[in-house]
Amino acid sequence: GRVARSDASPTLPLSHSHWRRRFDRGACCLHGIGEAVWPGPTQGPWCMCRKGFTGPSCGEHDTWTLVPQGTRMGDKACSNNCSSNGECLAGFCKCSQGYWGIDCSRSKAYAPDPAVQDEARGRAYNRTALRIYKYELPWYVAFAAEQNDGLGFFDYAYSTDDRFNERLSGDWAVRTENPYEANLFYVPAMAVYMSNQERQDTHVRNVMMYIKDTYPDLWARHQGRDHFLILPQDHGACYMDGDDPLNEAPIKVVHFGLQVSVDRYVDMPGKHERSHPRYGCFMPERDVAIPHADVKPGTSETSPEAHRRIAAETAGGTPPRQNLFFFGGSIRHHQKEYSGGARQALAKYVLERNDPRVKFGGMGFEEYWLASFCFNPYGDGYGNRLPHILLGGCVPVTVQEHVHQPFDDMIPYEEFGLVLKLADIPRLLEILEAIPQERILQYRRAAQKYYRAFYWSEDGEAYSYLLRSLFRRLQNLWAGLF
């Protein structure tokens, strides 16, 4: 289920390693391309350990592997720490008696009850509440990176699949072990391990084919349309094959909600020869846009002090902030599809005016606190600024034409920010100057109602919002909208 990386370190026969075949728990590698990120020595052969092992000869068990790289974070050696129902051993959970599954969270298995005709006919599913069945997929179908090759970690921003999986695994009010009462099926495809921009359509197709062949009665209920998977890469589902029923069928939960027909697909990221001709990357009746996980739990941004600071700045009489407008990001003049031209227009019509009230560059948390308005474009795929903007008490100025925002079927973005068109950017400063301070405070007060929906920490509400959105898609499925 994994893809070979173009920057992979060259491997050598084990005889080249001075450890020879002492443990046979890894590969003998020679430093080459990508030396800046490889964790091994800079000279000579070294052992790249299989996941779950560590040490110079891969002879030690690594039961809780974390690979910090600045803002990056490595994945855990075992899913959900085996749910406290087993032992993490070499990247696999050795479950205690009576438990099973990739994270030892399962304790029961079901077959259709012949005495219940609806179960045998696939009609016994719950109609009144969300009940999700999570597939247990074998390691050769979907599993985390096999080896700790230095690239087997990922940005925390791409970890929403793990965050959702952790919450769902123990949420037995929503999760069920009985697939015949389930009305939605979660497919833990682990597509994030394909890298942030790698095409994942072949991998997803293989996963869905396995499910269709192994669980034909569950697949046949709605031909896979009641299945969902999370695709947290930059381009979301843009590289799914629109003509392939296995790629097309499931609900896609993504960060990048680009909805555009092929004939209007100009200067935007993610286009390819098999994009869906009608909607491109995102079908709003079926798919769900969610926030990324770049706001980490336990940081200053999610601390109680930050929440109190936001509340204090909503009081009447609060003076204007030091700066009118802030954008922390790059422009990329040579890459118009990077933001659909919004960043380039900002540079031409706003930044080149050298207005001292406009600040550009840097991504520090405090910079959001100094500005009244903050720019919220997308990039080479989804934009990652909105959670930071809201947690800095800044009013978002979103320019993302054709792109659905996270949970925009439930969250009224116009209540707490401006949603503008590309054509508005030449007059952006005049638009912002005309907004009185009291209206800015109203935007901040409205943001207080919704900003927790944009992060995945324990006191965040992204998980709950996703469940609500999924139940809405289920209603759309039953209504025949997809």
Side-chain angles (χ1 to χ4, degrees), residues 264-403:
R264 302 180 67 187
Y265 213 139
V266 180
D267 293 331
M268 302 172 195
K271 183 178 181 180
H272 72 105
E273 67 278 6
R274 289 179 289 182
S275 299
H276 195 279
R278 180 168 58 85
Y279 61 78
C281 309
F282 188 88
M283 180 179 178
E285 299 88 353
R286 180 196 64 200
D287 302 329
V288 181
I290 61 172
H292 60 84
D294 197 31
V295 179
K296 305 176 187 63
T299 65
S300 60
E301 296 182 51
T302 57
S303 67
E305 292 75 15
H307 301 165
R308 286 192 291 268
R309 186 175 179 181
I310 294 172
E313 286 217 29
T314 63
T318 300
R321 291 183 171 183
Q322 175 180 322
N323 302 318
L324 176 66
F325 181 81
F326 170 66
F327 173 50
S330 61
I331 300 299
R332 302 199 189 187
H333 293 281
H334 63 288
Q335 191 180 354
K336 194 172 182 181
E337 67 272 15
Y338 193 82
S339 78
R343 298 175 187 235
Q344 294 82 2
L346 183 79
K348 179 177 180 180
Y349 296 107
V350 178
L351 301 182
E352 289 184 4
R353 293 168 66 171
N354 295 317
D355 190 311
R357 300 168 301 169
V358 174
K359 301 300 178 183
F360 168 66
M363 285 290 288
F365 181 46
E366 286 299 321
E367 291 163 313
Y368 290 110
W369 282 102
L370 296 175
S372 294
F373 300 94
C374 294
F375 195 45
N376 179 37
Y378 64 80
D380 191 8
Y382 76 90
N384 67 345
R385 286 168 178 77
L386 185 59
H388 301 277
I389 290 171
L390 292 177
L391 290 169
C394 196
V395 177
V397 179
T398 299
V399 182
Q400 299 190 28
E401 292 186 2
H402 306 290
V403 176

Side-chain angles (χ1 to χ4, degrees), residues 465-476:
Y465 268 83
L466 176 52
L467 294 182
R468 290 166 58 191
S469 282
L470 287 171
F471 196 51
R472 285 184 165 212
R473 300 315 185 272
L474 188 58
Q475 304 294 317
N476 289 345

Side-chain angles (χ1 to χ4, degrees), residues 137-267:
L137 301 177
W139 66 268
Y140 57 85
V141 173
F143 194 66
E146 180 190 16
Q147 293 180 321
N148 292 326
D149 58 4
L151 293 176
F153 57 85
F154 49 88
D155 269 337
Y156 196 90
Y158 301 111
S159 67
T160 43
D161 200 359
D162 277 3
R163 305 286 78 77
F164 176 79
N165 190 23
E166 288 172 357
R167 296 288 293 275
L168 179 68
S169 287
D171 185 3
W172 293 107
V174 173
R175 186 184 179 191
T176 177
E177 292 190 273
N178 182 357
Y180 302 99
E181 75 161 358
N183 43 37
L184 274 182
F185 296 86
Y186 169 46
V187 182
M190 296 190 179
V192 68
Y193 291 94
M194 309 296 287
S195 90
N196 66 325
Q197 292 188 20
E198 195 72 53
R199 288 186 59 162
Q200 70 273 50
D201 52 339
T202 300
H203 171 68
V204 169
R205 190 183 195 283
N206 291 339
V207 172
M208 303 311 290
M209 177 63 77
Y210 170 85
I211 290 173
K212 181 181 179 182
D213 291 345
T214 308
Y215 306 96
D217 52 337
L218 303 181
W219 180 270
R221 186 189 293 179
H222 289 103
Q223 297 303 309
R225 295 192 303 278
D226 52 358
H227 289 54
F228 72 93
L229 48 83
I230 299 176
L231 302 173
Q233 288 88 339
D234 286 1
H235 295 158
C238 290
Y239 289 126
M240 291 293 99
D241 187 347
D243 296 325
D244 185 344
L246 290 173
N247 273 181
E248 180 67 9
I251 298 167
K252 283 85 172 176
V253 179
V254 299
H255 299 317
F256 191 44
L258 179 64
Q259 180 193 1
V260 62
S261 58
V262 169
D263 61 313
R264 302 180 67 187
Y265 213 139
V266 180
D267 293 331

Side-chain angles (χ1 to χ4, degrees), residues 1-18:
R2 305 279 72 82
V3 296
R5 297 180 180 274
S6 59
D7 56 356
S9 181
T11 57
L12 303 169
L14 285 175
S15 59
H16 283 66
S17 171
H18 64 283

